[in-house]
């Protein structure tokens, strides 16, 4: 009976982490639509997602702590539980950053900086692939996600240059430019959080926490 309960809790933990992943994917896609000016209801959507995010994060944390204290898991189970705790934190932060992006672009018809749109697209794809890597236990996909963070960083730097140029050409754009700069930074942070998730996918599968370089802001705690 104890083993059956243990297996059931591990399965539930896996489901809750996967659900958090799907929520983060929904959040970043809503943020992407908001950036493009394609969704006037993005704020309501991400606010609703935030409620479930908080609930699932607490469930994941409580389950992990309970399993560690009562079951004393070892080997791959312990790696998975440890990784799940880290997943919950970074997935939650992706949700927060997505909400911040929506707040920044609220009321705009669409972002005028092409590199920001490209950065948002890339970040959304990285989130999706990191969740896929977790669900499919795919170490190679996790590594490819980390490698793509360089592209997000490059798009972020290009976006900053474009925004600075926008201010130079018309100083009255200062307030709007600051909002766009924040959007670009939030997207860069999402890339960092996704890389953290991918690293923990690799750890859960291999038992090795690989120190894979991925951008100078990779360890940001957002």
């Amino acid at each position: 009976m104890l083993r059956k309960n243990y297996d059931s809790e591990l399965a539930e933990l896996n489901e809750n982490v996967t659900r958090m992943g799907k929520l983060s994917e929904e959040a970043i896609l809503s943020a992407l639509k908001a950036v493009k000016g394609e969704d006037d209801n993005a704020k309501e959507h991400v606010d609703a997602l935030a409620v479930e995010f908080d609930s699932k994060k607490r469930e994941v944390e409580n389950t992990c702590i309970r399993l560690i204290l009562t079951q004393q898991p070892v080997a791959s189970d312990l790696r998975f539980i440890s990784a799940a705790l880290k997943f919950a934190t970074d997935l939650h932060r992706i949700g927060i950053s997505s909400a911040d992006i929506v707040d920044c672009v609220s009321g705009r018809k669409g972002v005028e900086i092409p590199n920001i749109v490209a950065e948002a697209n890339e970040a959304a794809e990285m989130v999706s692939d990191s969740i896929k890597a977790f669900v499919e236990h795919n170490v190679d996909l996790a590594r490819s996600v980390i490698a793509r963070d360089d592209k997000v960083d490059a798009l972020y730097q290009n976006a900053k240059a474009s925004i600075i140029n926008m201010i130079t050409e018309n100083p009255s754009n200062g307030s709007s430019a600051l909002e766009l700069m924040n959007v670009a930074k939030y997207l860069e942070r999402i890339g960092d959080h996704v890389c953290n998730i991918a690293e923990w996918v690799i750890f859960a599968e291999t038992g090795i926490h690989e120190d894979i370089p991925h951008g100078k802001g990779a360890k940001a705690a957002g």
Side-chain angles (χ1 to χ4, degrees), residues 59-203:
E59 286 184 39
V60 167
E61 290 172 339
N62 290 338
T63 301
C64 288
I65 293 170
R66 184 169 61 252
L67 285 169
I68 291 172
L69 292 178
T70 64
Q71 302 293 341
Q72 298 181 334
V74 296
S76 61
D77 285 350
L78 180 58
R79 294 202 304 270
F80 169 69
I81 293 168
S82 300
L85 276 170
K86 299 293 186 178
F87 290 158
T89 297
D90 280 297
L91 288 169
H92 188 253
R93 285 173 176 166
I94 288 172
I96 292 172
S97 292
S98 298
D100 288 336
I101 289 169
V102 173
D103 285 341
C104 284
V105 300
S106 181
R108 300 178 68 93
K109 293 182 179 179
V111 170
E112 302 87 349
I113 309 298
N115 284 311
I116 289 183
V117 175
E119 188 184 2
N121 276 314
E122 189 66 26
E125 290 178 8
M126 286 175 67
V127 170
S128 178
D129 283 346
S130 70
I131 304 310
K132 184 178 181 181
F134 167 73
V135 171
E136 297 180 355
H137 310 280
N138 191 329
V139 171
D140 289 338
L141 181 57
R143 291 191 179 113
S144 74
V145 167
I146 294 170
R148 286 159 59 188
D149 189 50
D150 285 343
K151 183 175 180 180
V152 172
D153 289 341
L155 289 167
Y156 168 57
Q157 294 300 328
N158 290 338
K160 282 205 305 182
S162 297
I163 293 166
I164 291 170
N165 186 57
M166 184 175 78
I167 298 173
T168 302
E169 291 181 352
N170 188 351
S172 66
N173 287 329
S175 178
S176 177
L178 179 60
E179 291 177 347
L180 294 176
M181 190 74 81
N182 285 335
V183 169
K185 182 59 181 176
Y186 288 135
L187 289 167
E188 190 262 346
R189 285 182 178 176
I190 286 174
D192 292 342
H193 294 312
V194 174
C195 286
N196 291 339
I197 292 168
E199 287 183 350
W200 284 103
V201 168
I202 296 170
F203 170 76

